[in-house]
Amino acid sequence: MKTTHKFLAATAALGLAFSVLLPPPAALLAHPGHDEAAKPSSGPALTDAVALPKESQFLFGVRTALAGYSDTYNRLTLYGTVASAAGGEGRVVVPQTGRIVRLSAKVGQPVRAGQVLAVIDQTLDATQQIGLSTERANAQAELRAAQQDYARLQTIADIAARKDVVAAELRLRQARQNAGILNGQASNRRVTITSPISGTVDVFTLAVGQQVTQGDELFRVLNPGKLRVEAQVFAQDLDKIPAGAQFQVEGLQGQTGSAPARLVVFSNVVNPVNQARQLILELDNSGSNLFRAGQAVNVQVLGRSGGGKKQLVVPTSALTDLNGKPVVFVHTDPETFKIHYVQPGAANGAQTVLLAGDVNENDRVVSVGTYQLKSIYLNQ
């Protein structure tokens, strides 16, 4: 009995010693890669932010940019039509009915202003020929009568009145002039046709010996360096074309190249059909020859917005939406991106104006990787 009590006392003393000397129990971990491995607690879930480690930021290619105040520009696309400007198109018409006796111009030929294009021999019908002959005969008769009257007064100049001599002299001069004009018309009825401007002769279908009628168009000379663009501007786009706006004309259907244009006039007359105002631009097409009269084009308008005041802007790529509301992700800590709701304003391909929202100047907003951050936030 005494031995049993000693054994129990020794066992209790030994257990107390082990409890003091052994370390506290540790958590039991399974093998790596197994689902039963214990996971450390990450704390409460974020409701208005996304936690993303640096390694994941590098993997997703997250990039940020600073929000700041800047000059903002609106970009607008208008549809227009190219037309010839003043001095860019010259139409040559027949001054009188006749027959082409010489044709100097060729299709596509460059010509200078005043260069001879053709020569026309005037043709007269029977009535015109009779009238011209009658006028010539009358002029000759008047000339003979004036010569005789003047010669008579010269013989009696010492007794004739001075005013009668002067009147006879004036009558003789006028008769000679009229007779000379009519004789010239009868002997030379050829008319020289010249180019009104410098340019290129357009397509025509004329031939030597062809009969032409007064008022018919003979040639059209075009100068591709003097063109204008006519565009239609609707009411909702008027405020996007401020003073000092820049214009760039581009071709349609995949045509490469563009040319600058200058504002000539912004018409105050409204088209009653589509309620648009007409915008006239002078196209700088010299040296490029990209455009031709009648061609349909796009007009890119770049105008300064905000009345010339600097506005808070962020990259357009920084904007996304949550539940239909526009937001941006602001990088507040090295591994934290906070959600800020904003009210966007005018935008172009590069930047967007923020009219309202909890975003300040020099806040670092995410410009690349917003889709990944949004997906992480929706799934956390």
Side-chain angles (χ1 to χ4, degrees):
M1 190 66 177
K2 187 181 295 186
T3 303
T4 303
H5 286 292
K6 290 181 179 180
F7 177 75
L8 294 175
T11 303
L14 184 61
L16 179 62
F18 274 113
S19 64
V20 173
L21 297 176
L22 291 176
L28 182 62
L29 300 178
H31 296 291
H34 290 261
D35 294 336
E36 63 268 18
K39 297 180 181 179
S41 175
S42 59
L46 299 176
T47 59
D48 61 348
V50 175
L52 191 65
K54 285 290 185 180
E55 294 80 2
S56 299
Q57 295 178 31
F58 178 79
L59 179 63
F60 292 146
V62 176
R63 297 289 183 271
T64 60
L66 294 176
Y69 286 90
S70 173
D71 294 327
T72 56
Y73 296 88
N74 288 327
R75 185 176 295 274
L76 176 66
T77 300
L78 303 175
Y79 297 99
T81 304
V82 180
S84 296
E89 179 180 2
R91 300 190 178 189
V92 182
V93 298
V94 182
Q96 57 192 19
T97 301
R99 180 174 58 87
I100 298 176
V101 295
R102 191 177 68 177
L103 195 60
S104 303
K106 297 180 180 179
V107 175
Q109 175 186 351
V111 295
R112 303 181 307 274
Q115 182 173 337
V116 176
L117 303 179
V119 176
I120 296 177
D121 190 6
Q122 182 183 13
T123 57
L124 302 177
D125 55 22
T127 303
Q128 291 175 330
Q129 290 179 358
I130 293 174
L132 181 60
S133 299
T134 302
E135 290 178 358
R136 288 181 59 197
N138 292 337
Q140 291 297 328
E142 173 63 19
L143 177 60
R144 287 192 297 269
Q147 290 174 340
Q148 293 174 359
D149 186 42
Y150 182 74
R152 182 182 63 82
L153 290 175
Q154 287 295 322
T155 58
I156 57 174
D158 52 342
I159 60 174
R162 178 63 182 168
K163 64 177 182 178
D164 293 339
V165 176
V166 172
E169 184 177 357
L170 292 176
R171 178 187 176 187
L172 178 60
R173 289 180 181 177
Q174 187 65 42
R176 285 175 177 172
Q177 183 178 359
N178 293 340
I181 293 174
L182 291 173
N183 288 334
Q185 290 181 351
S187 60
N188 185 14
R189 298 199 304 268
R190 291 193 171 182
V191 179
T192 301
I193 305 298
T194 59
S195 175
I197 64 171
S198 297
T200 304
V201 180
D202 200 14
V203 178
F204 64 87
T205 56
L206 299 175
V208 175
Q210 181 176 339
Q211 188 76 18
V212 291
T213 306
Q214 183 178 6
D216 290 347
E217 181 178 308
L218 292 180
F219 305 99
R220 183 179 299 183
V221 182
L222 301 176
N223 185 348
K226 294 184 177 181
L227 298 174
R228 71 168 186 261
V229 177
E230 301 173 356
Q232 301 291 325
V233 183
F234 296 93
Q236 65 269 22
D237 296 328
L238 292 176
D239 58 344
K240 298 180 182 179
I241 310 179
Q246 300 177 5
F247 303 90
Q248 195 78 11
V249 180
E250 301 175 349
L252 299 179
Q253 299 176 352
Q255 178 182 350
T256 59
S258 62
R262 181 182 62 86
L263 177 64
V264 176
V265 64
F266 201 167
S267 175
N268 290 319
V269 179
V270 177
N271 189 328
V273 178
N274 56 11
Q275 296 298 301
R277 289 172 59 182
Q278 191 176 47
L279 184 70
I280 304 297
L281 304 172
E282 182 180 350
L283 182 62
D284 185 7
N285 197 41
S286 58
S288 59
N289 293 333
L290 291 174
F291 306 101
R292 294 290 185 270
Q295 182 178 351
V297 294
N298 282 335
V299 180
Q300 301 294 339
V301 184
L302 186 64
R304 192 172 180 178
S305 61
K309 298 180 180 179
K310 292 187 176 182
Q311 297 176 291
L312 183 64
V313 298
V314 296
T316 300
S317 60
L319 285 165
T320 184
D321 67 279
L322 288 175
N323 298 324
K325 297 181 180 180
V327 299
V328 296
F329 287 94
V330 179
H331 197 185
T332 56
D333 291 317
E335 296 186 354
T336 304
F337 299 88
K338 193 172 182 181
I339 296 172
H340 287 235
Y341 290 90
V342 294
Q343 179 184 350
N348 55 37
Q351 59 187 11
T352 299
V353 177
L354 297 185
L355 302 178
D358 190 18
V359 176
N360 300 314
E361 187 179 11
N362 294 326
D363 281 351
R364 191 168 290 278
V365 298
V366 177
S367 58
V368 179
T370 54
Y371 175 79
Q372 288 82 354
L373 291 175
K374 177 180 175 181
S375 300
I376 295 173
Y377 173 76
L378 294 176
N379 289 281
Q380 70 181 1

